[in-house]
Amino acid sequence: MAVITTTRRTERFSRTTPPTCKYWLAGRCNRNPCKFLHSLSTLPSNVHNANMTYMHSKNPHLSAEKMASSSVKKPTNCAPKAFKKPANCARKAVECGSEAMSVEKPTQCEQMDISIEKTESVEEVATVAKSPMEKSRSICKYWMTDNCVHGDLCQNLHSWFYGDGFTTLAKLHEHKKVVTGIALPAGSDKLYSGSTDGTVRAWDCNTGHCVNMIHLNSEVTSLISEGPWIFAGVKNAVKAWNIQTGADVTLDGPKGQVLSLNVGNDILLAGAEDGVIYAWRYSSDPKPESPFELVATLSGHTKPVVCLAIGCYKMLYSGSMDHSIKVWDLDTLQCTMTLNGHTDVVTSLICWGDYLLSSSYDCTVNVWVRTEEGTLKVAYTHTDENAILGLYGMTDAEAKPILFCSCKDKSVRMYELPTFLERGRLFTRREVRSFEIGPGGLFFTGDGTGLLNVWRWLEEPKVPTS
């Protein structure tokens, strides 16, 4: 767009109606009297090109020669920033005060006003100036440490979540390291959590207090419950204990850390660091030794097995650091196919109806469907800007399916399915590594700081305040 640099054309424009005050348009002008219009002026009749670029000065007596020469000056640092975020410079101008706006020693924001600005029309300036600045969808890192000085004017969030229809109930912070598993046994009034600090804690669901702590002398990297049994994956073993009888059992066999656990077809399955899935069958017959018998080892992955899922046509699905997903028949425990839809570590798998959902460090979520030939193919891929660490699913108070995606940027994104429209976000100081669904709309998240958060869906979604 051409810049006006001739003195004659500039003088002709300077003798017409002075320009409208930008700060008045934004509702922020604090000068009385102001040398600019506090109304929407019309363009002079001798100006025919609405797309032309104009200059104006805070000082109406500034000579035309100086105005013309200012058009070829090197732009100040504030000018390009103001072009990208005009509201920020407007706020700085208010903070400068009347003394800072002197002609003798103009501030950077004052110099910005002398520089060239491009608009389609005066009406467009009014629209841009009055439009509210959209809040960022990132949590303020200074607010997290109680050091933010902007208060309500801060463009980042001063909240641990945003969205409607849910709220936070409690924060349980006793673990010293990452919470890697959460279990809520059926019929129990206790919530169990495992951590890499080497402990499993039991929490009273009524008071929120830790009522018991089990030291395992090894990092707990996975935790689940099935019936009265609780299983914890540790190095070279799975620890199991019965909360009704008090029985305590150690299941040996795995090599390295047990990273994932699941139960299906009355079989306990454990994905280990050596790339093998170990399978134990439970026997109700009373025996002097363990009630669990190792019945198979499922080999096929070349790197650690990170996640396990059961469902979708009675199959077992395993995700690995070798970037692949393997499908196993639960009756024969044989691998039936290998899925190669990711280019990095497969971090999580969930079965939802007839769909398999997988996430990866490659920043994608794949939705797999069964074909007529009996194979699985990717029907849809959702891409995020961050690596995805985990997938969790539940329904909200209105029975809408909600997918939770724990991301590398220390947030959990909430998407409505099947549209993947974002519903809200949860924020933590460190990445969320575990998730569990409770009764009555409750759900739980555990993060890298050792914090266990308790959340609840509201019966009716919140109405945003104006």
Side-chain angles (χ1 to χ4, degrees):
M1 189 175 297
V3 178
I4 299 176
T5 57
T6 62
T7 302
R8 178 176 299 176
R9 196 173 286 183
T10 303
E11 288 177 342
R12 185 166 68 241
F13 179 65
S14 64
R15 288 196 295 268
T16 61
T17 304
T20 300
C21 175
K22 291 194 317 174
Y23 302 117
W24 174 81
L25 289 172
R28 295 173 179 169
C29 184
N30 59 359
R31 290 184 290 178
N32 187 17
C34 181
K35 297 178 181 179
F36 299 96
L37 288 178
H38 282 198
S39 64
L40 294 179
S41 61
T42 58
L43 292 176
S45 58
N46 59 346
V47 179
H48 303 287
N49 188 355
N51 294 324
M52 296 173 68
T53 305
Y54 302 103
M55 299 188 314
H56 69 275
S57 169
K58 294 287 183 181
N59 189 347
H61 304 293
L62 190 65
S63 66
E65 289 79 7
K66 290 183 178 180
M67 292 178 67
S69 62
S70 68
S71 65
V72 295
K73 286 183 179 179
K74 206 172 183 179
T76 62
N77 290 336
C78 193
K81 292 181 181 178
F83 184 76
K84 294 179 181 178
K85 297 182 180 180
N88 288 344
C89 265
R91 187 171 68 246
K92 290 181 182 178
V94 175
E95 294 171 355
C96 288
S98 58
E99 295 181 359
M101 292 184 181
S102 63
V103 178
E104 289 77 10
K105 294 182 180 181
T107 62
Q108 284 187 343
C109 284
E110 192 73 14
Q111 296 173 24
M112 177 270 295
D113 292 328
I114 301 175
S115 66
I116 299 170
E117 296 183 351
K118 300 179 180 180
T119 58
E120 293 296 326
S121 63
V122 175
E123 288 76 13
E124 180 185 335
V125 175
T127 302
V128 173
K130 293 183 179 180
S131 61
M133 292 183 293
E134 184 180 354
K135 277 276 190 180
S136 167
R137 290 190 172 185
S138 299
I139 191 170
C140 176
K141 63 180 181 180
Y142 300 106
W143 175 80
M144 292 173 65
T145 57
D146 297 324
N147 289 321
C148 185
V149 298
H150 296 293
D152 294 338
L153 295 178
C154 183
Q155 290 307 294
N156 292 314
L157 294 172
H158 284 194
S159 172
W160 290 109
F161 67 94
Y162 78 79
D164 61 356
F166 62 94
T167 187
T168 179
L169 293 183
K171 297 179 180 291
L172 313 178
H173 205 168
E174 295 290 342
H175 285 294
K176 307 303 181 185
K177 294 184 179 180
V178 184
V179 178
T180 53
I182 304 171
L184 192 64
S188 173
D189 62 350
K190 302 292 189 299
L191 174 74
Y192 294 83
S193 59
S195 169
T196 55
D197 63 9
T199 66
V200 172
R201 291 180 178 268
W203 307 84
D204 190 301
C205 291
N206 298 313
T207 65
H209 295 152
C210 179
V211 295
N212 191 20
M213 180 174 61
I214 303 171
H215 290 275
L216 298 180
N217 300 318
S218 178
E219 290 187 351
V220 178
T221 45
S222 53
L223 184 80
I224 65 168
S225 64
E226 180 68 18
W229 288 93
I230 295 177
F231 304 97
V234 296
K235 189 173 183 179
N236 300 327
V238 174
K239 298 287 187 178
W241 58 94
N242 191 306
I243 60 175
Q244 293 178 353
T245 64
D248 187 352
V249 179
T250 299
L251 308 179
D252 296 316
K255 303 296 187 297
Q257 205 73 35
V258 174
L259 303 175
S260 52
L261 292 167
N262 213 323
V263 175
N265 204 20
D266 294 328
I267 297 175
L268 171 66
L269 299 146
E273 197 172 2
D274 61 356
V276 177
I277 303 171
Y278 295 82
W280 292 270
R281 190 179 299 277
Y282 176 76
S283 175
S284 58
D285 295 335
K287 296 181 180 179
E289 61 272 9
S290 171
F292 298 93
E293 178 185 3
L294 184 64
V295 293
T297 55
L298 286 59
S299 300
H301 286 294
T302 58
K303 290 185 178 180
V305 178
V306 178
C307 50
L308 297 171
I310 293 175
C312 299
Y313 309 102
K314 297 182 180 179
M315 294 289 187
L316 166 68
Y317 303 87
S318 59
S320 170
M321 290 186 181
D322 63 12
H323 308 176
S324 73
I325 301 170
K326 289 191 177 293
V327 185
W328 311 80
D329 188 305
L330 272 178
D331 293 327
T332 63
L333 298 179
Q334 298 296 313
C335 181
T336 61
M337 69 182 79
T338 300
L339 310 178
N340 295 299
H342 290 289
T343 59
D344 210 326
V345 177
V346 179
T347 56
S348 186
L349 296 166
I350 61 173
C351 294
W352 205 321
D354 292 336
Y355 297 93
L356 172 70
L357 283 75
S358 61
S359 66
S360 169
Y361 264 91
D362 64 10
C363 306
T364 65
V365 176
N366 281 339
V367 180
W368 302 81
V369 296
R370 194 178 184 90
T371 65
E372 295 180 355
E373 294 78 17
T375 60
L376 291 175
K377 71 173 183 179
V378 177
Y380 177 76
T381 296
H382 170 77
T383 303
D384 200 281
E385 62 266 28
N386 297 280
I388 301 173
L389 308 178
L391 297 178
Y392 320 98
M394 68 178 298
T395 56
D396 65 4
E398 298 178 349
K400 294 179 181 177
I402 304 296
L403 180 68
F404 294 77
C405 295
S406 174
C407 298
K408 191 67 175 177
D409 66 347
K410 306 173 188 176
S411 73
V412 179
R413 288 160 166 77
M414 304 165 61
Y415 297 108
E416 289 189 5
L417 294 182
T419 60
F420 272 90
L421 292 176
E422 187 171 342
R423 175 72 170 269
R425 290 187 192 181
L426 317 178
F427 300 97
T428 55
R429 296 182 188 273
R430 296 283 298 275
E431 295 87 354
V432 168
R433 297 286 182 170
S434 53
F435 187 98
E436 179 64 16
I437 301 173
L442 293 174
F443 60 98
F444 310 86
T445 58
D447 66 30
T449 66
L451 177 65
L452 182 61
N453 267 312
V454 184
W455 308 82
R456 181 172 66 86
W457 287 104
L458 303 175
E459 293 183 0
E460 296 181 0
K462 290 183 179 179
V463 177
T465 57
S466 58

